[in-house]
Amino acid sequence: MSLTHMCDRERGWSEVPLVKTWQLIAGSAVAGLALSAAAVASAGPWDSGQRKAERDRAASWSRTGGADHAAGSLPQAAPSAPGVLQGVAPRSSGAPSAALAGVLGPLLADSSLGTVRAAAVVDAATGRVLYESGAAEAMTPASTVKIATASAALTALGPEHRIRTTVAPGAGPGQIVLVGGGDPSLTAKKKSPAGSGGSLVALAADTAQALKAAGTDTVALGYDDTLYSGPVRHPIGRNDNLAPVTALTADEGRPDDSTAGPVTRTEDPSGDTARAFAGLLRDRGIKVTGEPAPAKPAPDARPLATTLSTPLAGLVERMLTNSDNDIAEALARQTALASGKPASFEGGEKAVSERLASLGVDLTGTRFADGSGLNRADKVSARLLTALLAKAAGPGHPELRPVLTGLPVAGFTGTLRTRNAGTSPAAGLLRAKTGTLTGVNSLAGTVVDPSGRLLAFAFLTANAADGSAAEKGLDKLAAAVASTP
């Protein structure tokens, strides 16, 4: 049997919850929300911080079908329960809140926040503005731009989309090619410390099985990372917060078992991934001759084996919870590919802008120079961030729900684990994306106020002399939103 006629085999992996059920229950208890046990039960179990029913409904409503869009795609999800947020936030007039203005005004004037500040608070159920100050001014957002990246990717691809990494026959005799699809969850470890994702281990096992079935035990291994284009290095240069951006990277180019935070990355993610794959093939009885080298699959070659990423909803949640820059840059490129643009920093910028424009939000003054927020050329307004959060909360765009479920919980998870914790009135009630660069501090997310309304807020600041003091100032602002009737 020739390599070109072997059947491929897909591997899917169950997700690992990023937000524990008891944390969410605790937050609801503190809020005093009137959610009945029957309503929660009818919506289904939690999965990666989402209710499965809600995620499935989002997939079924997606204009792109919500599933992987290549040949042999996974079954589409069936319609299910109505959106949970409709029952959480009661309707209100949405008129500007004098109470919020009286509390937030003095806090926003705190000099620790720097020389430029912007704020916006809206009722997530109605989208009506409750408070604004400089909200239309486009500012450097740091990592809060990930809210925009996530919204664009989910709009382009749907929450159930999975990214493929494949092995295909090469152009030469006895050659196989590892083809990168840009999966940021791809791992070479037997058990990924980051949770579910594409697995080189499973891919090697399936490839070895296919080769042996064809009577082949010796191959030359090539690798193809040409799906992405343009510079692989971020404009900021080498940085421990981000690996070179390639379409074939395992474990985010991390040399250890870390899954978040800064660490020195490999200079050759694609080559290292191919070498790791060669070792996994050898462990399974396949001799790999020579060193892996760049190559292209044979024209019209059918994959020998395939491994799939975490569904896009899970990637978005992981990105937002941990402020994962590698996932963010990958999602910007996946958005570009889905939009027919080059998978580069420039292509990602154009695609994200176009996808957000399709949501009907105001993009005046915005720029998305990258997907992660590491680039100071990024510009967004507080008004845009609250508009996207309100879209994610509303019934019209259920595909955006992971933007909310992925946000860290104050005092409990991710980058908010130690912020607004303990006795803070926002502990367990606030979910927000942090943003931090030298002199830039931001916070944007959602919170349940004392009357049970779900509010979306965004605070952007610049030129703060003390980053720690600025963060405390932001936390005070968010806590005030949580505690002001």
Side-chain angles (χ1 to χ4, degrees):
M1 186 191 313
S2 70
L3 295 183
T4 56
H5 289 86
M6 296 181 193
C7 64
D8 68 315
R9 178 176 162 200
E10 296 180 358
R11 287 269 180 130
W13 301 91
S14 62
E15 297 177 62
V16 176
L18 298 179
V19 179
K20 297 180 180 177
T21 302
W22 69 266
Q23 293 168 344
L24 298 167
I25 294 173
S28 296
V30 176
L33 299 179
L35 292 176
S36 69
V40 174
S42 66
W46 289 90
D47 188 3
S48 284
Q50 295 176 281
R51 293 194 302 191
K52 286 184 178 178
E54 180 125 358
R55 189 188 66 187
D56 291 348
R57 190 186 193 209
S60 70
W61 284 7
S62 171
R63 289 182 294 276
T64 56
D68 187 46
H69 309 304
S73 60
L74 300 176
Q76 297 183 16
S80 189
V84 62
L85 295 177
Q86 292 172 245
V88 174
R91 297 283 171 175
S92 70
S93 66
S97 168
L100 273 177
V103 173
L104 295 182
L107 291 175
L108 202 62
D110 184 351
S111 61
S112 69
L113 293 175
T115 61
V116 184
R117 306 132 199 182
V121 182
V122 304
D123 185 323
T126 65
R128 298 289 295 275
V129 175
L130 302 180
Y131 178 81
E132 281 192 343
S133 176
E137 182 175 354
M139 299 173 58
T140 299
S143 280
T144 54
V145 82
K146 291 183 174 75
I147 292 172
T149 303
S151 299
L154 289 165
T155 300
L157 294 160
E160 294 298 319
H161 177 77
R162 294 182 184 229
I163 303 166
R164 294 168 178 254
T165 305
T166 63
V167 176
Q175 184 188 50
I176 60 173
V177 180
L178 177 64
V179 183
D183 176 9
S185 67
L186 186 66
T187 180
K189 295 178 170 59
K190 183 176 182 181
K191 183 176 182 181
S192 171
S196 65
S199 172
L200 283 180
V201 176
L203 188 63
D206 289 349
T207 300
Q209 182 179 359
L211 291 171
K212 291 175 181 177
T216 300
D217 60 6
T218 302
V219 295
L221 176 64
Y223 63 90
D224 181 3
D225 64 355
T226 59
L227 184 65
Y228 289 177
S229 59
V232 300
R233 184 72 64 183
H234 192 282
I236 62 174
R238 292 186 182 181
N239 191 292
D240 289 349
N241 290 292
L242 178 67
V245 185
T246 78
L248 184 62
T249 301
D251 300 298
E252 298 185 343
R254 295 174 178 270
D256 53 20
D257 285 336
S258 66
T259 60
V263 65
T264 301
R265 313 300 183 89
T266 176
E267 291 297 305
D268 182 18
S270 299
D272 284 354
T273 301
R275 286 184 282 274
F277 186 69
L280 291 169
L281 287 176
R282 292 186 183 104
D283 291 344
R284 285 151 182 78
I286 300 298
K287 182 179 179 181
V288 180
T289 61
E291 282 290 304
K296 297 289 289 184
D300 301 321
R302 185 177 181 181
L304 308 177
T306 299
T307 187
L308 302 176
S309 74
T310 302
L312 190 68
L315 292 177
V316 164
E317 290 181 327
R318 191 182 301 178
M319 172 187 71
L320 294 172
T321 298
N322 296 323
S323 199
D324 192 304
N325 299 306
D326 298 275
I327 295 178
E329 298 302 346
L331 293 188
R333 280 159 176 72
Q334 294 297 317
T335 303
L337 290 169
S339 304
K341 301 188 183 305
S344 62
F345 284 105
E346 182 178 351
E349 177 176 357
K350 293 178 180 178
V352 168
S353 293
E354 288 183 7
R355 293 294 179 169
L356 296 184
S358 75
L359 294 174
V361 294
D362 183 3
L363 297 177
T364 302
T366 59
R367 185 183 174 191
F368 305 101
D370 67 3
S372 62
L374 290 171
N375 196 326
R376 291 175 181 272
D378 290 325
K379 300 293 177 185
V380 305
S381 66
R383 184 176 293 171
L384 171 63
L385 292 174
T386 53
L388 291 174
L389 292 165
K391 291 282 186 184
H397 292 279
E399 72 276 9
L400 299 182
R401 206 76 78 226
V403 173
L404 301 188
T405 57
L407 295 173
V409 180
F412 286 92
T413 62
T415 57
L416 285 186
R417 182 180 295 277
T418 61
R419 294 177 60 174
N420 266 319
T423 59
S424 167
L429 305 181
L430 176 98
R431 305 192 72 143
K433 182 70 200 74
T434 57
T436 307
L437 294 171
T438 302
V440 174
N441 299 91
S442 56
L443 191 68
T446 63
V447 68
V448 179
D449 76 0
S451 66
R453 291 184 303 178
L454 183 72
L455 307 182
F457 67 88
F459 302 113
L460 303 176
T461 72
N463 306 321
D466 183 337
S468 178
E471 286 185 356
K472 291 178 181 178
L474 291 172
D475 290 346
K476 289 177 182 178
L477 285 163
V481 177
S483 56
T484 302

